[in-house]
Amino acid sequence: MKRKYFNALNYTLGDEDTRLELALCPSNSKTVFAIAGSGGRVLPLFAKAPATINCVDILKEQLYITELRIESVKALTHSEFCSFWGYSETDITATERQQMFDRITLSDDAKAFLHAFLGQNGWRRIIYMGKFEKMLIQLSGVNRLITGRKGRGLFLTGSLDEQQSYFHKTFPRLRWKLVLFLLGNSTVLNSILYKGDFPKKNIEGSTYQNFNRIFSSLFERIPIKESFFAQMAFWGCLKFKEGYLIEADPELFEQIKQGAHTTTVRYIQGNIVDVIANSKERASFLSLSDVPSFMKGDAEVTYLKELSEKIEPGGLVVVRGNLRVTHPLSDGYSIVSDQYQDLIMKETTQLWNVQVYKRN
């Protein structure tokens, strides 16, 4: 994989609804491996009380933000956690956020980087500080300019039936096509986020057609307030609490807190396939995110085979892909994605093609 894309803090909120991985991860698993990302995709897994969670990322800064998420759960109450990260109607002051930060126990490297990073961003709401989130905020401004109040009116409907009716009868569909054209321009995405390392599309349809499908699925199937991705695309923030990441749910937060105090956590910088291949422990659950989409040549075909000896029988591997979907050799695995279609269909970003493999 090229390293150009992985040279900054790309995510602080993220682009995945981890309800799926939370549902698939067995309770009391022995060893979990997961791509760290913003930490938001790892944190819910603590609710399943695994013995060990290995947080892996090629970028050390993403490991730092993951460490902050995990340690902030330990140090803060639910209300404080939500205020600290930015899940609140009114924001706390910069001083209050910095005081909370000082109460959180972090490794020296993580504390030094994060103190500087948060300070550079004015100690504002942390969930909006990543490069991906800033990109969505920029695009939301364009969206609001083009689709106006009628576009945002979709979020003011009272039920999924009303939402569907509004989308077909009132939503500014022609103006929305222009937004989709801008969003679906891979050159724009390349220049804003991926710096030339955007995975080459290998699924049917143009980029525009695929984003049209993604948002049509959101508008037709998902109560739109529940989608943090849709909220970011239209409002540039999480305006409705229904779209908060599941880490902000009070009941789940307490389960996460309990698990965080008992689970052994490791932060490992590197390629996750290499990390697992060199591990002395076998994985019982593996959350790969869309990392395989960035693999080149034989690697995207052989990665499951390379991992097979390090995955326990019955262990699940969850892989996501957006405009590029890998088709690895799956000898020694059962493809069980169909068993989880209800969960996959309810994923509130609708960005992902999800594949689930079970080790035989």
Side-chain angles (χ1 to χ4, degrees), residues 243-279:
Y244 290 172
L245 295 194
I246 54 175
E247 63 189 22
D249 176 81
E251 182 177 347
L252 184 63
F253 176 87
E254 294 303 327
Q255 295 172 10
I256 293 170
K257 181 186 278 286
Q258 184 176 354
H261 282 294
T262 60
T263 298
T264 298
V265 186
R266 301 190 185 102
Y267 303 98
I268 307 170
Q269 184 181 3
N271 179 310
I272 193 167
V273 174
D274 295 337
V275 168
I276 297 173
N278 294 320
S279 172

Side-chain angles (χ1 to χ4, degrees), residues 19 58 75 162 205 211 242 283 331 343:
R19 288 178 179 87
I58 200 167
E162 287 184 21
F211 273 105
E242 292 92 334
D331 296 349
L343 288 170

